[in-house]
């Protein structure tokens, strides 16, 4: 059984429009997750180790104030389009659209005020919570009124995140959750002792602004071959990698499949990612620099967390050979990702 509670978490600053932020607590016998109505943020996720001890395994803040200041999308749902769009530009039906540039020369995770920075309308479910918002035509430069639903449900050790959307005009859409995980417990120094595998035969090489070059490269014989589990710290050293911030290309099938697995041998905690999405961005917290104080006033240094963001491929709106990222009026965008926590 999953218990669902809601409580006040604070008020948005006046310059952000005020408004009450609520926290929703979903609890099973093995997982407890806290989700905010601001940005559909996963603010905490506690799971058991092999001794039955619970630890919070996601980075974030104790108070609303942390989330209203600049931070690297901790735990948030990002959109309309996750990841980067080159030069913030794309053309649809002969019309060029220009988005806000918030990541060097590119647009990242929805722009200046993406889905992560707005209040959503919550609805409590027997085993979770559903959030809704209408993204109006022209918001952040995107076309069409977009209705969006994000639903979190918890069953035992399995957290499901379902994304649905409908639009009034053709628009690109790619939604993901940007939780930062450390299975040793948030605040642990690094994730080097984590073992990771990703079920992908190819990945997308990027230019120096992190935009895919267009090549779909085989992982075989490279540091991007994670099909068998690797210990992260040793692997980064072996291949002289500064970290990962890359899209791994998943099998193009509609059905859910296991796409990634992480294991933390010292605690026995494991996390599996199952999804219907065509890509997964593996990010090793390369831009964390210890300047942010998170929960318990702990700082988060480089490589102190990893993200496994299921999504469409970056810059797909400008790359016709990438999976289709356009939603048409009358169609429904509908994807689900499952995070499964266990002990091994």
């Amino acid at each position: 059984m999953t218990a669902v509670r809601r409580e006040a978490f604070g008020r948005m600053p006046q310059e952000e429009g005020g408004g009450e932020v609520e926290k929703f607590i979903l609890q099973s016998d093995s997982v407890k997750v806290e989700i905010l109505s601001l940005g559909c943020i996963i603010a905490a996720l506690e799971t058991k180790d092999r001794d039955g001890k619970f630890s919070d395994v996601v980075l974030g803040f104790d108070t609303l104030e942390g989330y209203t200041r600049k931070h690297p999308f901790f735990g948030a749902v990002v959109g309309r389009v996750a990841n980067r769009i080159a030069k913030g530009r794309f053309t649809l039906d002969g019309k060029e659209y220009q988005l806000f540039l918030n990541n060097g020369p590119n647009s990242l995770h929805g722009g200046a005020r993406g889905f992560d920075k707005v209040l959503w309308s919550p609805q409590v479910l027997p085993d979770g919570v559903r959030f809704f918002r209408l993204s109006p035509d022209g918001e952040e430069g995107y076309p069409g009124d977009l209705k969006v639903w994000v639903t979190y449900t918890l069953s035992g050790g399995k957290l499901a995140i379902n994304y649905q959307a409908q639009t009034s005009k053709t628009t690109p859409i790619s939604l993901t959750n940007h939780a930062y995980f450390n299975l040793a417990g948030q605040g642990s120094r690094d994730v080097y002792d984590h073992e990771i595998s990703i079920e992908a035969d190819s990945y997308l090489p990027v230019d120096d602004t992190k935009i895919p070059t267009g090549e779909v490269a085989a992982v075989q014989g490279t540091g991007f071959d994670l099909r068998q589990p690797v210990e992260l710290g040793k692997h980064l050293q072996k291949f002289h990698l500064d970290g990962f911030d890359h899209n791994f290309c998943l099998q193009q099938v509609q059905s859910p499949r296991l796409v990634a697995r992480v294991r933390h041998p010292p605690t026995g905690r494991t996390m599996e990612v199952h999804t219907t999405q065509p890509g997964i961005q593996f990010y090793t917290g390369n831009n964390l620099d210890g300047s942010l104080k998170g929960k318990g006033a702990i700082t988060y240094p480089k490589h102190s967390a990893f993200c496994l963001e299921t999504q469409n491929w970056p810059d797909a709106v400008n790359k016709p050979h990438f999976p289709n990222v356009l939603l048409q009026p009358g169609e429904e965008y509908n994807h689900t990702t499952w995070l499964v926590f266990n002990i091994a």
Side-chain angles (χ1 to χ4, degrees):
M1 282 297 292
T2 300
V4 184
R5 307 198 311 277
R6 68 195 296 176
E7 56 187 53
F9 190 66
R11 263 197 98 76
M12 291 295 284
Q14 276 319 116
E15 61 271 20
E16 296 283 329
E20 291 291 337
V21 180
E22 287 188 286
K23 177 164 75 176
F24 296 83
I25 299 131
L26 320 183
Q27 191 160 8
S28 70
D29 55 354
S30 59
V31 170
K32 176 182 169 189
V33 58
E34 301 180 3
I35 304 158
L36 307 182
S37 57
L38 169 67
C40 306
I41 287 170
I42 296 176
L45 196 156
E46 294 181 18
T47 177
K48 282 191 225 186
D49 67 7
R50 68 164 64 85
D51 299 322
K53 178 176 167 278
F54 278 92
S55 287
D56 182 3
V57 297
V58 296
L59 276 54
F61 303 101
D62 291 319
T63 62
L64 178 60
E65 196 184 6
Y67 292 108
T68 56
R69 292 196 292 243
K70 188 170 166 54
H71 67 93
F73 305 96
F74 284 149
V77 165
V78 293
R80 278 185 200 191
V81 176
N83 219 308
R84 293 168 181 86
I85 293 178
K87 300 184 173 57
R89 279 206 294 266
F90 59 89
T91 302
L92 281 183
D93 304 326
K95 182 178 176 191
E96 185 172 279
Y97 293 87
Q98 178 65 57
L99 312 172
F100 185 78
L101 306 181
N102 61 335
N103 186 247
N106 306 315
S107 182
L108 174 69
H109 293 331
R113 194 165 184 263
F115 289 4
D116 59 298
K117 296 178 182 71
V118 293
L119 281 177
W120 294 62
S121 303
Q123 176 196 353
V124 172
L125 306 174
D127 56 351
V129 58
R130 175 177 294 132
F131 297 100
F132 171 77
R133 81 173 297 250
L134 172 67
S135 172
D137 186 17
E139 182 173 65
E140 286 296 323
Y142 287 98
D145 284 329
L146 187 75
K147 292 178 178 171
V148 192
W149 295 264
V150 176
T151 307
Y152 292 91
T153 50
L154 180 65
S155 172
K158 182 186 284 189
L159 178 67
I161 313 173
N162 174 256
Y163 308 90
Q164 288 168 276
Q166 297 163 356
T167 186
S168 64
K169 294 179 185 170
T170 303
T171 188
I173 179 171
S174 174
L175 301 176
T176 193
N177 178 282
H178 207 312
Y180 287 68
F181 294 96
N182 186 321
L183 298 186
Q186 73 86 30
S188 300
R189 199 188 57 219
D190 58 56
V191 288
Y192 297 148
D193 59 354
H194 288 52
E195 291 173 358
I196 181 148
S197 56
I198 297 178
E199 300 278 334
D201 296 330
S202 53
Y203 77 103
L204 300 181
V206 293
D207 67 17
D208 56 9
T209 74
K210 300 281 193 290
I211 292 289
T213 60
E215 181 192 0
V216 180
V219 300
Q220 181 77 38
T222 74
F224 295 87
D225 191 346
L226 304 176
R227 292 173 295 185
Q228 295 300 316
V230 303
E231 188 180 319
L232 197 54
K234 287 179 180 164
H235 186 81
L236 293 177
Q237 274 185 324
K238 178 182 174 184
F239 288 95
H240 307 292
L241 296 169
D242 184 48
F244 288 95
D245 191 3
H246 294 80
N247 177 83
F248 286 76
C249 309
L250 306 176
Q251 264 185 303
Q252 300 290 299
V253 291
Q254 294 302 298
S255 53
R257 64 261 184 236
L258 172 67
V259 297
R261 188 168 188 272
V262 186
R263 177 171 166 259
H264 183 243
T267 60
R269 287 191 184 96
T270 65
M271 172 178 140
E272 287 180 356
V273 183
H274 302 248
T275 193
T276 59
Q277 293 272 25
I280 187 166
Q281 186 85 2
F282 178 38
Y283 174 53
T284 47
N286 312 330
N287 298 323
L288 297 174
D289 59 8
S291 62
L292 280 176
K293 277 197 163 59
K295 299 171 199 173
I298 292 168
T299 56
Y300 296 136
K302 182 175 179 172
H303 296 164
S304 60
F306 65 88
C307 306
L308 286 165
E309 307 156 68
T310 56
Q311 57 188 256
N312 206 318
W313 300 5
D315 201 34
V317 71
N318 291 311
K319 307 266 197 303
H321 60 296
F322 282 10
N324 175 40
V325 71
L326 298 178
L327 180 67
Q328 311 287 346
E331 294 179 347
E332 181 169 70
Y333 175 91
N334 193 334
H335 278 290
T336 307
T337 293
W338 294 264
L339 304 176
V340 184
F341 298 92
N342 220 317
I343 299 147

